[in-house]
Amino acid sequence: MSAPLTSLDRPNSYIGRAVPRPNAKRLLAGRGRYVTDIRLPRMLHAAFLRSPYAHARIVAIDTGQARALAGVHLVAAGTDIAKVCTPWTGTLDHFKGMTSEPQLPLPLDRVVWAGQAVVAVVAESRAIAEDALELISVDYEELPAVVDLDAARQPGTPRVNPAGQSNICFRTQLDSGGVDEAFAAAAHVIEQEFSFGRHTPVTLEPRAIVADYDPEAGMLTVHHATQTPYQFQDLYARHYGIPEARVRVIAPDIGGSFGLKLHVYHEDMAVVGLSMLLGRPVKFVADRIESFVSDIHARDHRVRARMAVDADGKILAMDVHDATAIGAFSTYPRTSVVEGNQVIRLIGAPYDFKSYRAALEVVFQNKVQTSQYRAVGHPIACAVTERMVDLAAASVGLDPFAIRARNVIPDDAYPTASPTGYKFEALSHQVCLQRLHEIMNYDALRAEQAELRQRGIHRGIGIATFVEITNPSPAFYGVGGARISSQDGATISLTPSGEVRCAISVTEQGQGTEAIISQIVADQLGLAQEHVKVITGDTEVTPHGGATWACRGAGIGGETALQAARKLKANILEIAALVLQEQPAALDIIDGEVVNAATRQPRLAIAEIARIAYFRSDTLPPGTQAQLTVSHHFAPQGYPFAFTNGIQGCYVEVDVDTGFIKLLKHFVVEDCGRIINPMLVDEQVRGGVVQGLGAALFEECRYGETGQLLNGSLADYLVPMAMEMPDIVIAHVETPTADTALGAKGCGEAGTAAASACVLNAVNDALAPFCASINAVPITPARVLEALGRF
Amino acid sequence: MSSDIDEAEEAVRVRFIVNGSKVTCAVAPRDTLVDCLRNSLELTGTHAGCEMGACGACLVQLDGRAVHACLMFAVQADGARVDTIEGLSESGAIADLQAEFHRRNALQCGFCTPGMLINAHELLARVAEPSREAIRDALSGNFCRCTGYEAIIDAIAAVAEARVDRAAQEREAASR
Ligand code: FES
Ligand code: FES
């Protein structure tokens, strides 16, 4: 018996097909070309002297000896670069009352975190530049450092910015009403405090940049390991006073980004200035230790939460307070308050309840800036919500699945909105919950757990429901005045040989952007995928767009490509119709051939149409100008965000003697709408889960009392490795968004969003017989033993 | 100018056989093998992720064994045979691993990938059919931030199985 034909059986039907990524072969052969690999003629190398203090006044800088070293071309301090670069401030207008100090590439008179770049040296080689750093002496006068989040919030604490009123960067609250009444009427009130450590993205390729200013042409070319080249084109143009069209940013192969590579870093801005001052290409690649002290960190929240539930376990209300410490500045141009803002807006998001109150306090401290990292705010919101739901289940006497089934927004209730105002088009919590129950084989796991518990083996099962923000509209940054595009653009051409090239503004960092765009274009045009070439990551070649962040590559970039391909197809068929003396509507394209739409009889190869249009336009009817290159831009309309949803589960074993946690298996059910390439979605989800598991168990930037990062190397800062990671079972539900023809939502952050919440619940489940409880992430062995009273 | 900088600038001539070709290059005594491969020889397929032996991005083969090119000075490799991802790709020695990684999307950004492949190649040279557990264990010095490792484990396991099957068939054919 053969399976019934599906849409995937049509020729050139690539949407929904697990095809390998064409560009991956190059990377497998060691032929990737990362910014770290780029070498330009006459290129020099920059290195930075960094502050040993978390907070200090710069009294004097002596660079005489460094300048004299053979091979050194330039030694520049804050004032030198300030001559060519205007300062920036990381605030957004719609965050009312938000403050942050203006920043420059290198500080003028005060350092505000340990590791801040103070002086730049440009030399013939990185090694010589580093030698020169040792010859520079800086006199500092140490100032009191604000290190601890709670201390930073106390009135009377020294201020991170002496010019500021306090250490508060931003405060906001939400109140949907009825909270106090709901708590008064509740059968159970659960109250809990959570703490989330700082961690950092740790892309395997560190930050890297090669800036090349040509003074004669007045042109700046920057090879930049970034996910958002257009944003940097705009920033370099504005802060260095170069016309935008003369700034070119090229983002070739990028060795991981995860949000890390879209923020403005002081060294990167400095390198552009250094190249302008020298009129030569200058390269900077952060080494791993520099990455730890200067890349953004993320998370660092303390949350207090209360939940009111009725006697049946129905959630009535939540009341939360989130305090988050962001370092000495708010990042530019996206700001550091977005994470906290997203935490308070996402808490409770999967559940159907009305009364919600939240307060957010964003606090400065003398540490490196925190900002957006994969699944911004989601892991915190999810961990708080899901832990509270589990605690509620325990007080009511319900199973974790049962309480969620009782409380998730029902699948037939859409469209609807969260109590915090997020508008949901269509989510699938109930189906996902059901699917997870099946793929986990939940009842069997519970039986196994109970049986093993008898034998002193302590296993735990945790589940966590999540909602992920994807496809952000201009309501995200645009309203705040940031020049961050929510639209994307594609320029797509039929080449003279009948192939297709598509230059698109969404970028590739390994998630498979180029592959899915070629799938969509080939599918829509009726061509074999290998005849579509996709070009990304070069502002000179590709149209302006937001590029890849916040899971907008497939949903926004994919829709852009789809619409562009449809336009080009219409133009091709118009020419074909002229040549064939037919109506365009009577024609279609299959496998690179123009065919009769009704009979599918081949009529003409599109290569022939290209040949005629490009080389023999004299044979086309007078007045015909063939448009075989089209450009299309697309910005989301309709819902401000396309929400992906899903649920994760995990099974862990806790060694109650050592506190070690073993991840046995992880399960994910997710609904990212239309799936373009199931294999890539699965691998995105797996990668995301593993990053979330790292956060759950290992990753934490630890600081000493004076604000020194204590574990700034890959030997001290633990990231998940193959040995500790479980196999991950994935199932999909597909609820396409009706806002686009493609119907895709994002999936890149879904894995990270709920992984820590799941582990937190699972570990607590394992510890239940001991009446021990943990509400801090990462869940280190020490914290487990502490909870057990054994440490 | 201080005298230790004088020393650092001194070049030393080293000779090795890199990817099958005799190569001479002038390196500073403090240059690591990864510096020399990437900068002097332009073999940028070998990556540096941590420069302290923790991440595995810089693995190359030295006289047939996988070593961390970040933990070794170029001068220490004098006289050795060095095979990098470029050479192993061109010789076809790891073609089956590369094909399987590609088929299963066992890479994303690809930055860890050359090191992963060299480690996988080494593992399969030592153990014909390692268990998944053994594969995970062998990769415990190769850090990947993008994938969830699982596809990498699957790919290596599949290649191991295919190699064992092929060897069995060849033995059978030979014995006929
Ligand atoms: S660069 Fe050698 S192990 Fe990381
Ligand atoms: S694929 Fe990016 S680090 Fe492994």
Side-chain angles (χ1 to χ4, degrees):
Chain A
M1 201 184 85
S2 63
L5 291 182
T6 68
S7 67
L8 287 180
D9 295 305
R10 274 189 297 113
N12 315 128
S13 62
Y14 294 103
I15 297 178
R17 197 183 285 282
V19 287
R21 287 155 52 204
N23 62 352
K25 281 197 172 160
R26 217 164 37 75
L27 305 178
L28 281 158
R31 289 176 184 267
R33 194 161 203 255
Y34 302 87
V35 173
T36 26
D37 302 334
I38 285 169
R39 189 162 17 154
L40 299 180
R42 301 184 73 235
M43 186 175 86
L44 300 170
H45 299 262
F48 293 89
L49 186 70
R50 294 177 183 278
S51 166
Y53 299 109
H55 196 189
R57 196 179 335 280
I58 302 170
V59 179
I61 301 178
D62 179 358
T63 58
Q65 273 193 307
R67 281 176 210 275
L69 185 66
V72 169
H73 285 245
L74 179 68
V75 181
T79 43
D80 302 303
I81 298 191
K83 288 188 188 119
V84 287
C85 182
T86 59
W88 61 86
T89 308
T91 54
L92 284 171
D93 304 343
H94 64 305
F95 295 131
K96 298 264 176 302
M98 176 181 184
T99 62
S100 184
E101 293 291 275
Q103 303 172 54
L104 278 166
L106 300 174
L108 298 179
D109 51 15
R110 202 164 52 94
V111 290
V112 289
W113 85 87
Q116 181 176 6
V118 179
V119 185
V121 173
V122 185
E124 304 278 334
S125 72
R126 168 76 184 227
I128 296 173
E130 286 186 18
D131 290 341
L133 294 182
E134 291 181 15
L135 303 174
I136 297 173
S137 68
V138 181
D139 268 353
Y140 293 99
E141 178 193 323
E142 205 177 343
L143 298 169
V146 177
V147 180
D148 180 66
L149 166 58
D150 291 323
R153 293 160 64 204
Q154 300 305 319
T157 306
R159 267 162 296 155
V160 174
N161 302 310
Q165 301 285 313
S166 70
N167 287 327
I168 302 298
C169 163
F170 178 64
R171 267 201 190 102
T172 193
Q173 22 204 350
L174 303 170
D175 192 349
S176 66
V179 173
D180 292 329
E181 295 81 337
F183 274 93
H188 304 273
V189 172
I190 298 99
E191 212 166 329
Q192 200 61 243
E193 273 200 47
F194 298 86
S195 87
F196 298 90
R198 270 184 172 230
H199 46 267
T200 181
V202 198
T203 55
L204 195 47
E205 178 199 37
R207 286 191 287 121
I209 185 167
V210 183
D212 180 12
Y213 183 71
D214 175 344
E216 275 68 40
M219 166 99 199
L220 173 72
T221 305
V222 184
H223 288 83
H224 191 172
T226 176
Q227 53 197 102
T228 51
Y230 314 92
Q231 174 197 300
F232 282 102
Q233 178 187 38
D234 171 71
L235 291 171
Y236 296 146
R238 283 192 294 119
H239 289 282
Y240 282 101
I242 309 167
E244 189 174 56
R246 289 180 191 273
V247 177
R248 177 181 188 182
V249 178
I250 304 168
D253 293 323
I254 308 296
S257 55
F258 318 120
L260 162 71
K261 291 176 181 170
L262 51 68
H263 305 291
V264 167
Y265 293 93
H266 301 88
E267 300 88 343
D268 299 3
M269 283 300 264
V271 164
V272 171
L274 296 170
S275 172
M276 290 177 74
L277 291 171
L278 286 162
R280 282 179 70 166
V282 177
K283 180 174 188 172
F284 169 67
V285 178
D287 68 25
R288 187 55 64 186
I289 291 169
E290 292 182 288
S291 294
F292 274 107
V293 297
S294 66
D295 287 359
I296 56 129
H297 292 178
R299 321 305 187 210
D300 205 352
H301 293 252
R302 291 246 219 302
V303 181
R304 262 195 344 258
R306 294 197 304 144
M307 180 183 267
V309 288
D310 72 9
D312 298 331
K314 183 91 184 74
I315 301 169
L316 303 173
M318 283 189 82
D319 183 10
V320 300
H321 181 276
D322 176 18
T324 173
I326 57 165
F329 295 115
S330 163
T331 41
Y332 182 65
R334 286 162 201 258
T335 84
S336 303
V337 310
V338 171
E339 170 145 305
N341 193 53
Q342 239 156 250
V343 168
I344 60 164
R345 282 166 208 277
L346 277 168
I347 284 180
Y351 299 105
D352 182 22
F353 67 100
K354 302 254 155 352
S355 299
Y356 181 74
R357 186 164 60 204
L360 170 69
E361 224 174 355
V362 181
V363 184
F364 292 121
Q365 54 180 173
N366 289 111
K367 292 181 186 171
V368 70
Q369 56 196 353
T370 72
S371 207
Q372 286 84 312
Y373 163 46
R374 196 173 196 168
V376 185
H378 294 66
I380 316 280
C382 186
V384 170
T385 309
E386 295 301 297
R387 179 77 186 116
M388 295 300 280
V389 170
D390 264 17
L391 288 167
S395 32
V396 181
L398 279 175
D399 175 85
F401 269 95
I403 192 165
R404 286 173 178 78
R406 192 160 297 179
N407 282 290
V408 289
I409 303 173
D411 293 357
D412 61 5
Y414 298 96
T416 184
S418 75
T420 61
Y422 281 138
K423 296 194 177 67
F424 299 135
E425 179 196 9
L427 304 178
S428 56
H429 294 303
Q430 289 176 319
V431 184
C432 289
L433 204 54
Q434 186 58 41
R435 284 298 298 283
L436 183 74
H437 199 277
E438 290 157 21
I439 64 170
M440 284 181 91
N441 207 350
Y442 184 69
D443 297 332
L445 275 195
R446 279 281 178 222
E448 182 180 76
Q449 177 192 35
E451 195 246 313
L452 289 172
R453 223 172 241 179
Q454 307 290 319
R455 308 194 340 232
I457 296 171
H458 295 278
R459 292 192 170 178
I461 300 167
I463 61 173
T465 302
F466 67 90
V467 166
E468 180 201 349
I469 298 176
T470 82
N471 296 4
S473 75
F476 209 52
Y477 290 114
V479 290
R483 296 168 65 86
I484 295 167
S485 177
S486 58
Q487 66 82 46
D488 272 282
T491 297
I492 173 167
S493 317
L494 186 67
T495 70
S497 328
E499 304 202 323
V500 167
R501 86 197 262 292
C502 175
I504 191 155
S505 59
V506 284
T507 49
E508 167 81 90
Q509 296 93 43
Q511 63 278 70
T513 303
E514 293 178 7
I516 63 157
I517 297 298
S518 70
Q519 284 179 254
I520 293 166
V521 168
D523 185 285
Q524 294 297 307
L525 271 170
L527 289 174
Q529 196 192 354
E530 59 266 30
H531 294 154
V532 178
K533 156 129 174 118
V534 177
I535 299 153
T536 61
D538 184 344
T539 59
E540 197 103 313
V541 177
T542 55
H544 187 91
T548 305
W549 52 272
C551 273
R552 48 196 306 295
I556 299 177
E559 179 72 7
T560 310
L562 177 140
Q563 298 294 350
R566 287 186 177 178
K567 264 193 184 172
L568 179 62
K569 181 174 177 181
N571 292 1
I572 294 170
L573 291 182
E574 217 171 278
I575 307 294
L578 290 174
V579 175
L580 296 169
Q581 309 261 305
E582 267 287 5
Q583 284 306 311
L587 301 171
D588 198 358
I589 306 174
I590 295 176
D591 250 341
E593 296 271 340
V594 173
V595 299
N596 179 310
T599 65
R600 304 179 133 217
Q601 275 308 325
R603 301 287 308 271
L604 190 64
I606 63 167
E608 181 58 9
I609 297 168
R611 187 192 64 81
I612 295 168
Y614 285 112
F615 306 122
R616 291 305 309 271
S617 53
D618 57 313
T619 63
L620 290 172
T624 310
Q625 296 287 348
Q627 301 297 320
L628 296 182
T629 293
V630 300
S631 281
H632 184 82
H633 290 262
F634 169 76
Q637 288 174 338
Y639 284 87
F641 305 99
F643 287 95
T644 285
N645 70 281
I647 179 161
Q648 298 188 15
C650 72
Y651 193 39
V652 306
E653 187 172 305
V654 180
D655 182 329
V656 293
D657 296 319
T658 63
F660 277 100
I661 295 163
K662 188 165 169 51
L663 300 165
L664 300 171
K665 195 111 177 171
H666 202 93
F667 306 85
V668 182
V669 182
E670 66 81 50
D671 182 350
C672 65
R674 174 82 66 243
I675 292 174
I676 299 157
N677 185 324
M679 175 166 71
L680 299 190
V681 169
D682 284 0
E683 290 313 309
Q684 270 293 298
V685 170
R686 288 202 172 93
V689 165
V690 165
Q691 265 181 20
L693 294 176
L697 295 177
F698 311 120
E699 298 183 41
E700 185 168 30
C701 301
R702 294 168 181 267
Y703 281 86
E705 273 168 23
T706 56
Q708 304 288 332
L709 183 63
L710 302 178
N711 60 341
S713 85
L714 275 184
D716 306 310
Y717 180 97
L718 303 181
V719 291
M721 304 293 285
M723 195 56 203
E724 294 91 39
M725 289 300 111
D727 282 343
I728 299 165
V729 180
I730 299 171
H732 301 283
V733 175
E734 262 183 282
T735 312
T737 166
D739 272 353
T740 60
L742 185 63
K745 313 174 198 175
C747 69
E749 311 181 72
T752 312
S756 352
C758 245
V759 178
L760 190 63
N761 280 344
V763 171
N764 278 304
D765 182 46
L767 298 183
F770 301 91
C771 295
S773 148
I774 293 184
N775 288 308
V777 164
I779 313 164
T780 57
R783 285 195 170 124
V784 173
L785 293 179
E786 215 173 306
L788 287 166
R790 298 183 180 190
F791 188 58
Chain B
M1 197 188 288
S2 71
S3 60
D4 47 14
I5 286 166
D6 267 342
E7 230 167 74
E9 286 311 295
E10 217 169 78
V12 181
R13 227 168 71 102
V14 292
R15 300 185 312 163
F16 9 62
I17 299 185
V18 179
N19 297 329
S21 305
K22 284 189 207 127
V23 173
T24 311
C25 73
V27 299
R30 65 178 170 183
D31 281 349
T32 59
L33 181 57
V34 70
D35 289 334
C36 172
L37 291 171
R38 289 180 50 80
N39 301 333
S40 310
L41 302 176
E42 299 189 335
L43 292 167
T44 54
T46 304
H47 296 151
C50 67
E51 294 175 283
M52 61 181 300
C55 76
C58 66
L59 287 173
V60 296
Q61 286 206 322
L62 190 94
D63 292 328
R65 292 305 300 263
V67 299
H68 290 103
C70 74
L71 288 185
M72 180 169 217
F73 291 112
V75 291
Q76 292 176 287
D78 189 30
R81 184 161 58 80
V82 180
D83 292 287
T84 69
I85 183 71
E86 289 91 346
L88 293 170
S89 295
E90 278 156 30
S91 71
I94 54 170
D96 53 352
L97 276 166
Q98 288 165 317
E100 202 59 32
F101 268 57
H102 184 237
R103 207 168 72 74
R104 295 173 184 267
N105 200 46
L107 71 159
Q108 288 184 28
C109 78
F111 203 79
C112 68
T113 309
M116 286 282 180
L117 287 166
I118 287 175
N119 199 356
H121 183 50
E122 166 103 357
L123 170 68
L124 298 187
R126 282 189 289 112
V127 188
E129 221 170 352
S131 65
R132 286 176 72 79
E133 191 73 357
I135 298 173
R136 283 194 181 273
D137 190 34
L139 294 185
S140 62
N142 285 78
F143 159 34
C144 176
R145 194 58 163 173
C146 305
T147 70
Y149 295 106
E150 193 171 335
I152 298 173
I153 317 295
D154 292 343
I156 297 171
V159 169
E161 197 184 313
R163 285 189 185 177
V164 167
D165 286 353
R166 204 174 38 214
Q169 275 164 21
E170 277 164 15
R171 266 198 311 276
E172 206 174 294
S175 66
R176 252 190 238 129

